[in-house]
Amino acid sequence: MDCCESAMSPAISRRGLLLGGVSFAAWAYLPKFARAADGRDPRLIVVILRGALDGLATVAPVGDPDYAALHGSIALTPDGPHAAPMLDSFFALHPAMPEFARMYREKQAAVIHAVSTPYRDRSHFDGQDVLESGFAGPGRVQSGWLNRALGTLPKGDRVMGALAVGPTTPLVLRGPAPTVGWAPANLPQADDDTAMRLVELYSHRDPALASALSQGLQLEKSAQGDDMKPKPGTNNAGAMRLVARGAAKLMAADDGPRIAALAFDGWDTHANEGGPVGRLAQLLGGLDGALAEFESGLGGRWRDTVVVVATEFGRTARVNGTEGTDHGTGTVALLAGGAIKGGRVISDWPGLKPANLYQARDLAPTTDLRAAVKGVLRDHLGLSDRVLAENVFPDSAAAKPMKGLVV
């Protein structure tokens, strides 16, 4: 296991909820935000891939004459036993992502290629800080752009709180705007009798907390079930599906969260990346399964959903001596959901000739990730250009919101 990799345990625990400060219980007290003017009920899910995704292996520019030589043994090809399906005449998708390929054909998924945050060094920690904080440099704030976006939504009649998935709230959702957390941690379970006795105890001493605890238990019950129990041998890829399944159940509820953020670790593929089969294929298969779980779990809500998948930076264009890739710059962002204007690879392609590589080693970024996220926040949640440039992504006026990402 890489030094930066950790597996997220998928089991949901009632005791974990009770010991976690009854985070779901706060749901009843979250502020409400205005319904979209056109009657939509939008959902937004942000998925952070920690460790730096190889964008050239995920969506391969097989039409670029310099790609195959640079990516060597792990380069994708549109033919052969592990053929990568073509998205258009130039780009092919990793074969481990058939669900994303289907969404793409159905125009519910899109790719933004040669994308990057403003960060240009190669530290995971600083890169993730910039990705999630929304600032141009690391270490400047302790709040995230998604929390600041949540705080700018107009107050109204509908719950629009945010769900932070994981043992700790991702930086992208930290800040003053209220959020609730769900940690699918593998903790010993308290039985139903213990939980009910706690509710009874609080009903006499703190009725408000008792009511909140009851609601929290009910929400936890809605997220769990036999289909959420990890099967023997569940790996990191399987855990991605289970986490997405639980989050989708909560977000599908009429009074559930409309915004969520979660992070998947382990994308630092310095060795044995594996091309169409191998380590990256397993990770991409887990991500692909998670997207499918969001689609099926949200049901009719999928129509008004956008999923944004982003990573801190890309990986080198040239394969290294251990059949992997090292820290790079340009990469891909993936968009999925019924609200996405899909079926497109959006890219100002820089080319892979030696003179076109960033610092002679990386895919050169031509699109600012902030511009893509701004386009989603503006057209999906209704945030203004001024709020996006001044509050959500401070000092980012030069990164204009991308148009036409949302139907």
Side-chain angles (χ1 to χ4, degrees):
M1 181 177 292
D2 264 355
C3 64
C4 299
E5 177 181 356
S6 64
M8 181 183 290
S9 177
I12 299 175
S13 163
R14 179 179 293 107
R15 183 167 179 257
L17 179 72
L18 299 177
L19 295 180
V22 205
S23 56
F24 270 140
W27 198 259
Y29 305 104
L30 284 180
K32 300 182 187 302
F33 295 87
R35 187 176 300 276
D38 57 6
R40 294 182 306 110
D41 191 3
R43 266 90 171 152
L44 173 63
I45 302 167
V46 176
V47 179
I48 304 294
L49 305 182
R50 291 182 176 153
L53 172 67
D54 185 351
L56 293 173
T58 304
V59 180
V62 297
D64 190 306
D66 297 289
Y67 164 71
L70 285 170
H71 244 45
S73 61
I74 66 172
L76 300 183
T77 61
D79 48 32
H82 301 290
M86 295 298 295
L87 296 178
D88 56 24
S89 61
F90 191 84
F91 292 103
L93 180 68
H94 198 289
M97 301 191 73
E99 296 293 343
F100 186 86
R102 172 186 56 78
M103 294 176 192
Y104 185 94
R105 292 193 301 271
E106 295 171 355
K107 301 192 184 307
Q108 295 187 357
V111 178
I112 304 175
H113 217 315
V115 68
S116 177
T117 72
Y119 182 69
R120 289 294 178 271
D121 293 318
R122 298 180 178 89
S123 160
H124 286 303
F125 302 105
D126 287 347
Q128 290 163 13
D129 184 90
V130 172
L131 170 64
E132 298 189 50
S133 75
F135 278 73
R140 297 181 60 180
V141 292
Q142 293 301 313
S143 67
W145 59 260
L146 189 55
N147 187 279
R148 295 194 297 273
L150 180 66
T152 64
L153 292 173
K155 303 297 186 289
D157 63 350
R158 179 169 56 86
V159 173
M160 192 69 168
L163 174 67
V165 180
T168 60
T169 299
L171 173 60
V172 71
L173 255 184
R174 293 180 202 164
T179 63
V180 293
W182 170 49
N186 190 12
L187 296 173
Q189 290 197 6
D191 58 25
D192 290 336
D193 181 63
T194 300
M196 290 305 101
R197 281 190 285 112
L198 279 171
V199 173
E200 177 67 17
L201 173 64
Y202 283 123
S203 67
H204 297 293
R205 299 188 176 187
D206 191 335
L209 181 57
S211 174
L213 176 58
S214 295
Q215 293 177 51
L217 290 169
Q218 185 59 41
L219 275 169
E220 186 222 8
K221 184 177 181 180
S222 71
Q224 69 177 351
D226 289 340
D227 61 340
M228 284 296 298
K229 295 177 181 177
K231 304 299 187 293
T234 297
N235 56 18
N236 203 24
M240 291 186 215
R241 295 193 66 131
L242 289 171
V243 168
R245 186 179 303 168
K249 286 182 178 181
L250 295 170
M251 296 186 76
D254 289 340
D255 60 350
R258 266 58 174 184
I259 293 173
L262 57 155
F264 294 138
D265 296 340
W267 299 81
D268 198 12
T269 51
H270 285 289
N272 302 316
E273 191 172 308
V277 294
R279 181 165 174 240
L280 182 62
Q282 293 173 6
L283 290 165
L284 289 174
L287 174 63
D288 195 56
L291 294 174
E293 293 290 350
F294 281 128
E295 179 186 27
S296 61
L298 284 164
R301 309 293 189 190
W302 180 252
R303 179 184 63 251
D304 292 332
T305 295
V306 169
V307 183
V308 177
V309 182
T311 190
E312 66 259 36
F313 45 71
R315 308 197 71 84
T316 50
R318 188 174 290 103
V319 67
N320 63 27
T322 58
E323 304 300 310
T325 49
D326 299 318
H327 297 175
T329 309
T331 184
V332 294
L334 306 179
L335 304 176
I340 286 296
K341 188 176 181 180
R344 302 177 292 159
V345 178
I346 304 166
S347 179
D348 177 11
W349 187 246
L352 295 176
K353 294 186 180 304
N356 295 340
L357 296 177
Y358 179 72
Q359 295 184 345
R361 55 176 276 167
D362 303 337
L363 173 65
T366 57
T367 298
D368 192 323
L369 179 64
R370 295 173 299 177
V373 175
K374 282 182 176 182
V376 169
L377 293 176
R378 182 189 62 186
D379 297 339
H380 192 51
L381 298 185
L383 276 65
S384 71
D385 287 7
R386 182 186 62 79
V387 165
L388 289 167
E390 296 178 5
N391 300 92
V392 180
F393 294 99
D395 303 317
S396 67
K400 303 297 184 184
M402 292 182 68
K403 298 179 180 179
L405 296 178
V406 177
V407 294

